[in-house]
Amino acid sequence: MFLNINLESSEPIYIQLQHQIIEGIAKGRISPGDPLPSVRSLASDIGINLHTVNKVYQLLKQDGYILIHRQKGVVINPEGPPKADEEYKQSLRANIRPLIAASICRGIEEEEFLQICKELFNEFKEEGEKK
């Protein structure tokens, strides 16, 4: 798998893992219907507690990215994640607000902030189109 967990990072391991799985989906590295390792297997492979992996899988399931079957195991949602609704857009705004505030405090102008966002967005689109 494509995971790169930094055990020295100030970002919690479960957040790193969650973000990297979502990024893998967004970039087309893992496709709808693809299986993910079992909780035990993934925890063992990257050397973390299995409860951490279980927490990530539950969060991804809650957000519609994965399905957990007792017999089939964990798979990327075959229908893909749910489309953005108003609730998601409100959450997106709430998550972006502190980034904008911190950027303003550090002297980043609106144009530069938007350019950074555009570059990252295009990175995801381009890599996803290659798949």
Side-chain angles (χ1 to χ4, degrees):
M1 217 160 134
F2 52 85
L3 301 171
N4 183 17
I5 303 300
N6 180 355
L7 301 176
E8 303 299 320
S9 174
S10 62
E11 183 174 49
I13 293 169
Y14 83 95
I15 297 288
Q16 292 180 57
L17 185 55
Q18 180 185 25
H19 287 175
Q20 288 186 31
I21 292 171
I22 293 170
E23 185 172 325
I25 295 168
K27 289 185 173 183
R29 293 179 186 161
I30 45 180
S31 301
D34 283 356
L36 289 178
S38 70
V39 169
R40 270 190 172 71
S41 175
L42 184 55
S44 175
D45 288 349
I46 57 180
I48 62 173
N49 188 296
L50 65 92
H51 296 293
T52 302
V53 176
N54 190 50
K55 178 177 184 172
V56 170
Y57 279 5
Q58 291 304 318
L59 291 169
L60 291 170
K61 178 183 175 187
Q62 179 181 320
D63 290 340
Y65 290 101
I66 65 171
L67 300 177
I68 301 173
H69 299 282
R70 288 192 188 273
Q71 296 166 337
K72 296 180 185 176
V74 181
V75 296
I76 302 301
N77 189 338
E79 298 174 10
K83 298 299 177 201
D85 58 10
E86 197 53 43
E87 182 181 344
Y88 174 80
K89 291 176 184 177
Q90 287 175 351
S91 173
L92 179 63
R93 285 183 182 95
N95 289 324
I96 290 176
R97 285 183 75 82
L99 297 174
I100 293 172
S103 297
I104 289 170
C105 289
R106 293 175 179 262
I108 293 179
E109 297 294 326
E110 178 182 4
E111 297 78 25
E112 185 179 3
F113 185 88
L114 293 173
Q115 182 61 35
I116 292 168
C117 290
K118 188 174 186 173
E119 288 169 4
L120 288 171
F121 200 91
N122 287 335
E123 174 188 318
F124 279 88
K125 281 178 50 179
E126 289 169 7
E127 190 164 333
E129 289 170 359
K130 290 179 187 175
K131 303 292 174 191

